[in-house]
Amino acid sequence: MGMTMAEKIIALAASVAEAKAGDIYTVELDRLMSNDGTTHLTIDMFNKLKNPVIKDVNKLVWIVDHNIPSDSPKTAASHKKMRDFAREKGIAFYEGEGVCHQIMMENHVRPGELIFGADSHTCAYGALGAFGTGVGCTDYLYAMVTGESWLLVPETLRFNLHGTLKKGVYARDLILTIIGKIGANGANYMAMEFAGDGMKSLSMADRISICNLCVEAGAKTALMEVDDIALDYLKLNGNRKPKAIVSSDEDANFAKIFDINLNEIEPIVAKPHFVDQVVAATECLGVHIDEAFLGSCNNGRLEDLRVGASIIKGKKVSDKVRFLVVPASRTVYQEAMAEGLIDIFMDAGAIVMNPNCSVCWGSCQGVIGEGETLISTGTRNFKGRAGHKDSFVYLASAATVTASAIAGYITTADRI
């Protein structure tokens, strides 16, 4: 019996010839990412160890992205602890450069790697054929000190994509459709693997968006085969060389196989307060909004800003709405400026912020108040995610979010 992509990467990390779903292995980590959400806790635990050592500092990447600029003396102290520790130990450190997953994709992730990230959306790295998975700071600390961890090999759900998305439909609509189809627990501790002829029509931005949200179906990781599109991305971003390029064997064992026709996907909205509560965007037409957000590790890339700018150019944000536009990284911000996209958003009345997690994190920017409604390209719409516990978050594509910001209520781009 052959192996899936997930099984092959784990086998490589465990230095064994074969790995099967359900097996448990000690694995060597290729990279370890942590952000300001929990790194201060990791540092505190590290300093309490009897023999505090870092196995391989070159594997660590620390990124300040959740609360930047700092919003309080408490946050400032947390950042300082992280900053000072990183400088002392020689850890690769980013501050003010953007969202952690975008930074990792632009600079570090390589095909075939096994990566732990102290953030649940680390599964985004599967867009480059890497096994990325989120862990808590205790597991992160163990891997940081030993260079190893244990891993239960997940079963794999295979999604064969066919055809192309229709005009006005985006990868965001696709992954929300899939999450709605299988449910928020539909891929619990499984790998979600994407393949098929439809992959050729998906850009790297599309692929990152798809893999990034797989954790919202409970997935342990997400994976896509490495092709010329992925290799070109690596070449343009530091000319990185793959550790290994793997693909599932023809006789690999999948827990379930889904065939998805891309041309059947429609614009989607996920209603409060669950990501799998998806409906056609047309079912939410007219819902009043107070704020709109275009950004995050899911939809803050240049391609997403281009979509939003093309819709809002020559128009104005509704006087009833606050529209936050937040590029996912400094690189994306600079590219957007060079293309004139930032001017388009500013001229329309949007608030363009520094690259960071922003309102998707719901802590330092654009926090919404009691009874307010946000439409967002962020990753989650849980109760209280973007502010007050009695607020409401709808999730949608960059196009639907931008159109809604103009209208003052939820609508689709073809209605603007």
Side-chain angles (χ1 to χ4, degrees), residues 97 102 106-107 204-205 233 236-238 300-306 309 327-345 352 355:
E97 295 296 322
Q102 182 67 15
E106 288 178 357
N107 298 279
M204 277 306 303
Y233 180 87
L236 290 170
N237 289 273
R301 278 165 281 283
L302 183 63
E303 291 84 347
D304 305 304
L305 299 184
R306 285 171 177 161
S329 72
R330 183 186 297 271
T331 297
V332 172
Y333 200 122
Q334 291 175 321
E335 291 172 342
M337 282 197 298
E339 292 188 14
L341 306 183
I342 302 300
D343 286 339
I344 292 172
F345 286 118
V352 181

Side-chain angles (χ1 to χ4, degrees), residues 193-255:
E193 180 182 314
F194 298 87
D197 61 272
M199 289 293 299
K200 296 177 183 177
S201 67
L202 300 176
S203 68
M204 277 306 303
D206 294 332
R207 298 175 186 202
I208 298 169
S209 180
I210 291 167
C211 289
N212 175 272
L213 272 194
C214 285
V215 70
E216 306 308 329
K220 182 68 173 175
T221 193
L223 287 160
M224 293 176 170
E225 289 186 6
V226 175
D227 58 11
D228 288 343
I229 292 173
L231 291 173
D232 286 345
Y233 180 87
L234 289 167
K235 192 174 295 183
L236 290 170
N237 289 273
N239 198 27
R240 283 168 279 161
K241 306 300 181 186
K243 174 188 176 183
I245 295 178
V246 303
S247 59
S248 291
D249 296 323
E250 289 186 7
D251 58 344
N253 184 38
F254 298 105

Side-chain angles (χ1 to χ4, degrees), residues 32-33 38 115-120 122 133-141 149 220:
L32 293 158
M33 186 282 296
T38 59
I115 303 172
F116 275 9
D119 188 281
S120 54
T122 302
T133 192
V135 296
C137 51
T138 304
D139 285 332
Y140 185 91
L141 175 66
S149 187
K220 182 68 173 175

Side-chain angles (χ1 to χ4, degrees), residues 5 9 105 109-113 124-132 222-226 230 244-246:
M5 289 184 70
I9 293 175
M105 293 298 284
V109 177
R110 297 188 305 143
E113 289 188 325
Y125 309 162
L128 281 175
F131 189 118
L223 287 160
M224 293 176 170
E225 289 186 6
V226 175
I245 295 178
V246 303

